[in-house]
Amino acid sequence: MKENHKVPFSALGVVLAIGIVFGDIGTSPLYVMRAILNALPAGQLSRPEYILGAVSCVIWTLTIQTTLKYVIITLRADNKGEGGILSLYALIRQKYRWAYVLAGIGAATLLADGIITPAMTVMSAIEGLNTIAPNIPVIPVTIAIVLILFLVQPFGTGSLGKYFGPLMIIWFTMMAVMGISQVITDFSVFRAFNPMYAINFLIEVPHTMFMLGAIFLCTTGAEALYSDLGHCGLKNIRISWIYVKAALILNYLGQAAWIINSHHVTHDTNPFFAMMPTWFSLVGVIMATLAAIIASQALISGSFTVISEAISLNIWPNVKIQYPTNIKGQLYIPSINHMMMVLCIIIILTMQSSMKLEAAYGLAITLSMLMTSVLLFLYFVKNNRPLWFSIPLTLFFVIIELSFFIANMQKFAHGGFVPIIIAGVLLLFMYSWYNGRRIKRHYTVYDQVDEQYINQIVKISEDTTIPKAATHLVYIVKANNKNFLESKIAYSLFKQTPKRADTYWFVRIKRTDEPYEFSYETTVYAPKKIFRINIRAGFKLGIHTDKYVNLIANELERHGLVDLSSRYPAMQDATDKRGDFKFMVVDRIFRNVHMNPSRQIIFGCYNLVKKLTTSDTQMYDIDPSLAVVETIPLRQVDHTEDQLRELLKQSAEESEA
């Protein structure tokens, strides 16, 4: 069953997109112009050609980077309506499997950005209260808001989500009106649309690299915009961007007009709040705080989506995922939520102000954008787009993003190392998990499911001297070919402790690149006795083993292929005569296996990641009361009797010496 789950275009869809997609980029006016002022030399803060040049850079960055690259080009690279760097990788991984490294870097840096954004946006908004109440405790208030934001995630935001769109429309309208109120006093700021102002500014201004780092902050939400494609739909995002971009540019122009005509501008001035009328300041701060909360919520939800897709692509452990509401695509991952909350609070306590956070902000996301550009080029090649189009376009964006990356590297020692370290740790997790699984597969041995294999299972099933394990015994398997099973299954069934059951099920679940696909294939090894089920589940559906098995077993019973009733004599008169299910998860442990040092390190990291993040029961989302986890040696070195005698002889000689 393959369906196209693209979100249709509608007025409601446009409102939804404004509420979900543009939170990050929509709160950038809170700090972009302040960061630019902070990077300008003293005494030049109100110099018209500098201010107009800076705003010109902002306008053209939004046009080239956000509009052209993401809204027009990248959003077309969707995976059945789903977007984001991991969905882009899913489109090309059959041909370019090695590109998982690029996708991992992009995903890790996007997550690192998602950790800093709540601290950055909320603190910037709360600092706006300083104009009204100079003694406001910014840090405690920011921490309180961020804590509440993360603590409500388990309950879902479905009931609140319907207000996000209207609130963000009010926010963007407010920014546009604020901008217009200043622009009408100085129409000369419209000269900033001339790209020559941007070019001359970058040539003439001192510390150009610092300035580029500040300007880049205006487009940091572009990567998150691509990730929200599946929630909002292509046309809804494109249409709403017209309104959002107009509001942003009007506000930036208004801030420029206020700076040029003001005589009280300092490096600490935030023109966004400073240009507000005194009577409107409180309303402005409240709206900025609400917008910051909505932006943070969108990034937190986006982080959950990124991890969910990473799990499906086997580059993140299959951690527990919850679905707090019935709204499509809304999920909650406790481990990620807790990690982000702790790191976000640590960052707030460490940095103490949004100006210091600006130094840490933007560096990681430039790497994510670079990875998207390279993956986009591979996508073009895979789809046979002409090289005369693909190469120049990719080089154009890569040169721009490399310039921003080099500029943002100036921030590394001033706090930029924070998101890079976070992203580096996340990438290590991804790399270790992906390659640790590959190492395990390398050492996997398979048995053919032939007549002898099946007869052996039947004999165990009929041997009443063996204690019954369950009515229905379900083994989780990974062999692609339905005529083979991993040797660990035979070890568990026949050697370790023979497992007697009335019905045996061998279930393989494969995640597919189709977001909402669900299909299965059943092979009957022995009528009403032994079954093999191959399940294909889309990466948006996830793995829910016991639910899938029960669904399919009920379907097979309706067709008379299996008897699900209990075979225990004492249960024949029970109200619920359904037989019990037990799910067997067989894990292989390395014992006496020789690997080169690099593989040992990778596999050691893999085991550490697994212990820290998940269990086999959680990985397959099995009810713990129904699951049994067995461990068997992956490969054991066998010594002949002569070899053992020789070893004992050598040991004795060494003892005598």
Side-chain angles (χ1 to χ4, degrees):
M1 181 177 68
K2 296 183 181 181
E3 297 181 26
N4 195 329
H5 285 260
K6 293 184 179 181
V7 179
F9 172 70
S10 65
L12 184 63
V14 171
V15 174
L16 181 71
I18 291 173
I20 293 176
V21 177
F22 302 109
D24 191 3
I25 205 166
T27 51
S28 57
L30 287 171
Y31 44 79
V32 169
M33 290 305 293
R34 182 183 61 184
I36 289 170
L37 287 177
N38 198 40
L40 284 172
Q44 304 290 325
L45 301 187
S46 297
R47 186 172 170 180
E49 54 266 38
Y50 278 2
I51 299 302
L52 290 178
V55 173
S56 183
C57 286
V58 169
I59 291 171
W60 286 100
T61 298
L62 287 172
T63 301
I64 295 171
Q65 192 67 16
T66 311
T67 307
L68 180 60
K69 180 186 174 182
Y70 283 95
V71 176
I72 295 177
I73 298 172
T74 310
L75 286 183
R76 295 181 64 85
D78 70 288
N79 184 11
K80 301 296 185 294
E82 297 297 326
I85 193 165
L86 292 181
S87 289
L88 180 57
Y89 166 65
L91 290 169
I92 64 169
R93 69 171 176 155
Q94 295 300 326
K95 187 173 182 180
Y96 305 106
R97 193 164 292 274
W98 55 268
Y100 78 91
V101 177
L102 304 179
I105 293 171
T109 48
L110 190 60
L111 288 168
D113 176 66
I115 291 167
I116 291 182
T117 297
M120 177 78 172
T121 53
V122 174
M123 195 180 291
S124 294
I126 300 302
E127 284 174 349
L129 283 171
N130 285 333
T131 57
I132 307 167
N135 297 321
I136 189 79
V138 174
I139 303 301
V141 173
T142 303
I143 289 176
I145 291 173
V146 168
L147 264 176
I148 293 169
L149 187 61
F150 282 105
L151 291 176
V152 300
Q153 295 303 315
F155 307 103
T157 54
S159 58
L160 296 175
K162 59 187 176 184
Y163 301 112
F164 288 174
L167 281 171
M168 290 305 288
I169 288 175
I170 295 171
W171 167 250
F172 285 116
T173 304
M174 184 194 89
M175 286 201 298
V177 171
M178 282 171 53
I180 291 169
S181 69
Q182 297 297 323
V183 167
I184 58 176
T185 65
D186 187 356
F187 287 106
S188 66
V189 292
F190 282 106
R191 289 179 293 171
F193 281 99
N194 184 345
M196 290 308 300
Y197 277 87
I199 294 168
N200 291 333
F201 172 72
L202 293 176
I203 293 171
E204 295 174 9
V205 72
H207 313 301
T208 305
M209 286 301 169
F210 282 106
M211 193 57 63
L212 275 176
I215 290 164
F216 178 75
L217 295 174
C218 75
T219 189
T220 51
E223 192 67 38
L225 177 153
Y226 181 32
S227 299
D228 287 320
L229 175 61
H231 294 116
C232 302
L234 175 63
K235 287 187 178 180
N236 294 321
I237 292 175
R238 284 181 169 174
I239 295 298
S240 56
W241 173 240
I242 297 171
Y243 168 73
V244 169
K245 185 183 177 184
L248 289 172
I249 290 176
L250 281 171
N251 190 266
Y252 284 124
L253 290 172
Q255 290 190 52
W258 181 87
I259 293 168
I260 291 170
N261 295 290
S262 175
H263 304 291
H264 307 289
V265 181
T266 67
H267 282 116
D268 296 329
T269 302
N270 188 338
F272 182 87
F273 293 108
M275 71 179 184
M276 288 182 182
T278 306
W279 60 268
F280 189 73
S281 294
L282 182 59
V283 176
V285 171
I286 291 171
M287 282 306 304
T289 305
L290 288 173
I293 291 170
I294 292 169
S296 301
Q297 172 60 45
L299 273 163
I300 294 168
S301 300
S303 298
F304 296 155
T305 302
V306 168
I307 290 295
S308 174
E309 292 179 356
I311 291 169
S312 301
L313 295 170
N314 295 324
I315 59 176
W316 191 267
N318 199 347
V319 294
K320 184 179 182 181
I321 299 177
Q322 297 176 2
Y323 298 86
T325 69
N326 293 323
I327 297 174
K328 175 196 165 188
Q330 188 165 105
L331 45 87
Y332 166 66
I333 304 178
S335 57
I336 299 301
N337 191 61
H338 298 153
M339 177 197 74
M340 292 179 70
M341 179 176 68
V342 171
L343 290 175
C344 191
I345 291 171
I346 290 172
I347 286 169
I348 292 169
L349 291 172
T350 305
M351 296 297 186
Q352 294 284 312
S353 75
S354 61
M355 287 189 71
K356 290 182 179 177
L357 275 169
E358 285 166 10
Y361 199 49
L363 178 55
I365 206 66
T366 51
L367 280 173
S368 188
M369 289 182 170
L370 275 166
M371 297 306 106
T372 297
S373 295
V374 178
L375 290 174
L376 199 60
F377 173 73
L378 297 176
Y379 172 77
F380 289 151
V381 174
K382 179 180 177 290
N383 287 278
N384 299 316
R385 298 295 294 270
L387 292 178
W388 61 262
F389 167 82
S390 305
I391 293 175
L393 186 69
T394 303
L395 283 175
F396 176 65
F397 290 126
V398 165
I399 289 169
I400 292 173
E401 286 156 4
L402 270 176
S403 301
F404 280 127
F405 176 71
I406 294 167
N408 279 304
M409 278 301 292
Q410 313 293 321
K411 301 178 177 182
F412 186 84
H414 303 283
F417 63 88
V418 174
I420 294 299
I421 290 173
I422 294 171
V425 172
L426 294 174
L427 181 61
L428 178 63
F429 270 45
M430 293 177 181
Y431 184 84
S432 302
W433 186 259
Y434 183 87
N435 287 284
R437 286 171 58 90
R438 291 184 66 186
I439 291 170
K440 263 194 168 183
R441 285 199 299 269
H442 177 75
Y443 286 96
T444 301
V445 179
Y446 296 95
D447 297 325
Q448 185 172 0
V449 184
D450 52 17
E451 187 176 349
Q452 182 181 354
Y453 195 104
I454 293 169
N455 288 338
Q456 184 68 21
I457 298 176
V458 173
K459 284 180 182 178
I460 290 176
S461 177
E462 295 172 350
D463 187 348
T464 55
T465 64
I466 301 172
K468 184 185 280 193
T471 304
H472 303 280
L473 197 61
V474 182
Y475 273 92
I476 310 301
V477 302
K478 295 181 180 177
N480 289 320
N481 193 319
K482 64 184 179 182
N483 296 316
F484 288 86
L485 292 173
E486 301 97 296
S487 60
K488 67 178 184 180
I489 304 298
Y491 190 98
S492 171
L493 269 173
F494 309 137
K495 293 182 181 180
Q496 192 163 28
T497 301
K499 310 290 191 305
R500 183 164 71 91
D502 296 300
T503 310
Y504 294 85
W505 306 79
F506 301 102
V507 178
R508 179 178 187 267
I509 302 180
K510 177 179 174 59
R511 299 185 193 90
T512 69
D513 295 338
E514 301 274 348
Y516 294 95
E517 177 186 1
F518 183 80
S519 60
Y520 66 91
E521 177 190 16
T522 305
T523 302
V524 181
Y525 290 144
K528 295 195 174 184
K529 177 69 69 175
I530 309 171
F531 299 88
R532 165 70 183 254
I533 302 174
N534 285 347
I535 300 172
R536 293 172 59 85
F539 66 83
K540 281 285 184 178
L541 294 180
I543 288 183
H544 312 289
T545 306
D546 50 358
K547 294 179 182 177
Y548 292 160
V549 169
N550 275 283
L551 177 73
I552 295 167
N554 289 334
E555 185 69 20
L556 295 177
E557 187 181 41
R558 279 195 290 272
H559 288 85
L561 296 175
V562 68
D563 179 8
L564 297 183
S565 63
S566 175
R567 316 299 163 79
Y568 297 102
M571 298 296 295
Q572 295 305 310
D573 298 326
T575 305
D576 184 6
K577 296 183 179 181
R578 187 180 176 84
D580 62 315
F581 277 77
K582 184 172 287 184
F583 291 81
M584 301 295 301
V585 180
V586 185
D587 189 24
R588 297 158 295 166
I589 56 172
F590 275 51
R591 185 167 181 267
N592 298 326
V593 176
H594 300 288
M595 293 186 287
N596 61 45
S598 62
R599 282 192 170 188
Q600 288 178 8
I601 293 169
I602 291 171
F603 199 73
C605 291
Y606 167 83
N607 285 325
L608 178 63
V609 170
K610 189 173 181 180
K611 286 178 182 177
L612 290 174
T613 58
T614 189
S615 67
D616 289 302
T617 304
Q618 289 177 330
M619 283 174 62
Y620 293 105
D621 191 24
I622 303 170
D623 183 343
S625 65
L626 305 176
V628 176
V629 179
E630 281 189 344
T631 56
I632 67 167
L634 183 61
R635 179 180 289 180
Q636 188 170 349
V637 178
D638 294 316
H639 298 283
T640 65
E641 190 173 348
D642 290 340
Q643 287 174 319
L644 287 171
R645 285 201 192 98
E646 185 64 30
L647 288 170
L648 288 169
K649 181 181 176 182
Q650 290 176 6
S651 179
E653 288 173 351
E654 289 172 1
S655 298
E656 290 173 2

